[in-house]
Amino acid sequence: MKTDILQSTVSMAHEKDTKKKLYAEEDISKLAVIKSNDTIAMKYMMCVAAASVAEGATYPLDLTKTRLQIQGEMASGGSNAQYRGMFRTAMGIAKEEGLLHLWRGMLPALYRHAIYTGFRMSAYEEIRNQLSKKDKNGFSLWKKVVAGMMAGGIGQLMASPTDLIKTQIQMEGRRRLMGEPPRVDGMVDAFRKIVKQGGVTGLWRGCWPNVQRAALVNLGDLSTYDSVKSSILDNTTLEDNSVTHCLSSGCAGLVGAIMGTPADVVKARVMNQATDEYGRGLVYKSSADCFMQTVRGEGFLALYKGFLPCWLRMAPWSLTFWLSFEQIRKASGATPF
């Protein structure tokens, strides 16, 4: 009987060791998957995928926002017929131009995010990881703000040509309804005409208000999301799940809209203005000139024209992006943001 008990004990011990080995091997394999999916290239692809989902879901709001921001231009001598409010604008576009025209300019917008969002997210996370490697508290709020602004500004500088093309395509439907001749016929045509008029550097016309806007938006978006999420996880009982992601992205969208709307208005007007044969703007000399003309002619609050659609676009975009991004990372076995 003692022999049986001894054999049973040995057998149980062996089984326990085997399980430990199996668990250890399983943990190692999980770590290997996480390590392989935490490369910069994989993170870049996950950012682009999440941004594409968010852009497709919320693009009509971007088109509506652009139309509202440009309609108040007094110096361009446009028609007096104006849109009234975000929802009426969207309904008017769908009724007058067709439902699918709410996605006019979608392709260059996706190309933009492939450059802009892919770079800003990858750069910000890499900066954060390097600064936090030795010190958990090494990435304080001011560092988040600086990293977010730098990542967003540089990313937008790289992607500015796609934004210029997108803005011009977005206004084509309205121009044709007003009886004006079309300026561009699609993305490739817009690219050719911009290069023909202003050379390759013409593709970066209006880039500085664009870069300023991106820096301010990312100050709100990236640093706010990162800070709010960290605060929620550290100071509440909530876990790193969809509820936390929703709360963090909601705050990020609001702060981003407040910081970025004035620069967005200036950017849209500079990019949409007519140009001479050399690609120089006929209405505004620079973004600073556009800013001053807008304030003098329409008042300071004109800089917040389209704030509601801007926020209503940024909030669902931020929500869709961050939820998609976190879920894609989780499904691929990468670490949470």
Side-chain angles (χ1 to χ4, degrees), residues 17-298:
D17 288 341
T18 304
K19 281 184 178 179
K20 276 185 180 178
K21 285 180 182 177
L22 286 171
Y23 288 143
E25 287 172 3
E26 189 178 342
D27 289 341
I28 290 168
S29 65
K30 284 180 180 177
L31 284 169
V33 171
I34 290 172
K35 191 175 180 181
S36 66
N37 287 333
D38 264 353
T39 61
I40 295 175
M42 279 300 298
K43 288 175 183 175
Y44 180 89
M45 290 172 65
M46 289 186 281
C47 292
V48 174
S52 299
V53 172
E55 192 69 14
T58 63
Y59 187 79
L61 292 171
D62 183 55
L63 179 65
T64 304
K65 169 185 67 85
T66 302
R67 296 279 181 97
L68 282 171
Q69 288 173 336
I70 291 174
Q71 71 171 358
E73 289 185 71
M74 299 176 70
S76 61
S79 171
N80 290 325
Q82 294 187 352
Y83 296 115
R84 294 184 179 180
M86 186 185 104
F87 295 106
R88 287 187 182 180
T89 301
M91 293 298 292
I93 294 169
K95 184 179 179 181
E96 296 167 7
E97 303 172 39
L99 182 64
L100 292 179
H101 280 237
L102 285 168
W103 280 268
R104 181 190 284 270
M106 176 74 177
L107 190 58
L110 292 177
Y111 288 149
R112 171 183 177 264
H113 279 290
I115 302 169
Y116 166 63
T117 301
F119 177 84
R120 73 182 178 102
M121 293 296 298
S122 303
Y124 179 86
E125 190 173 3
E126 194 62 26
I127 292 169
R128 185 186 66 181
N129 291 345
Q130 291 300 321
L131 292 177
S132 305
K133 190 177 288 184
K134 294 181 180 179
D135 181 10
K136 187 181 178 183
N137 300 316
F139 201 50
S140 55
L141 180 60
W142 75 268
K143 290 180 181 177
K144 291 176 184 177
V145 168
V146 172
M149 291 183 73
M150 285 183 62
I154 295 170
Q156 185 55 54
L157 183 62
M158 294 164 62
S160 192
T162 59
D163 217 12
L164 175 61
I165 293 168
K166 181 196 75 171
T167 302
Q168 293 199 355
I169 292 174
Q170 284 179 334
M171 294 306 298
E172 277 307 300
R174 186 62 179 166
R175 285 176 59 83
R176 292 176 189 184
L177 283 175
M178 290 165 60
E180 297 180 14
R183 287 192 302 186
V184 296
D185 185 22
M187 186 178 71
V188 176
D189 183 54
F191 177 84
R192 286 174 180 166
K193 286 181 177 176
I194 292 168
V195 172
K196 185 178 180 181
Q197 285 183 338
V200 175
T201 55
L203 291 167
W204 275 267
R205 176 162 58 87
C207 73
W208 295 119
N210 227 354
V211 170
Q212 291 158 10
R213 173 192 175 274
L216 291 169
V217 167
N218 281 279
L219 182 157
D221 185 43
L222 278 175
S223 57
T224 301
Y225 181 87
D226 200 5
S227 300
V228 172
K229 182 182 174 183
S230 299
S231 298
I232 290 173
L233 295 176
D234 292 340
N235 303 311
T236 70
T237 56
L238 291 175
E239 297 179 356
D240 192 355
N241 53 28
S242 297
V243 175
T244 301
H245 303 157
C246 286
L247 293 171
S248 304
S249 62
C251 294
L254 178 59
V255 176
I258 292 171
M259 298 299 295
T261 300
D264 201 29
V265 171
V266 172
K267 177 210 77 169
R269 293 187 175 196
V270 169
M271 285 188 162
N272 186 63
Q273 68 177 325
T275 58
D276 60 17
E277 58 182 330
Y278 302 106
R280 293 176 298 199
L282 297 176
V283 183
Y284 309 113
K285 296 176 183 177
S286 63
S287 58
D289 180 48
C290 177
F291 179 90
M292 295 304 297
Q293 283 195 46
T294 302
V295 173
R296 279 199 302 262
E298 302 169 56

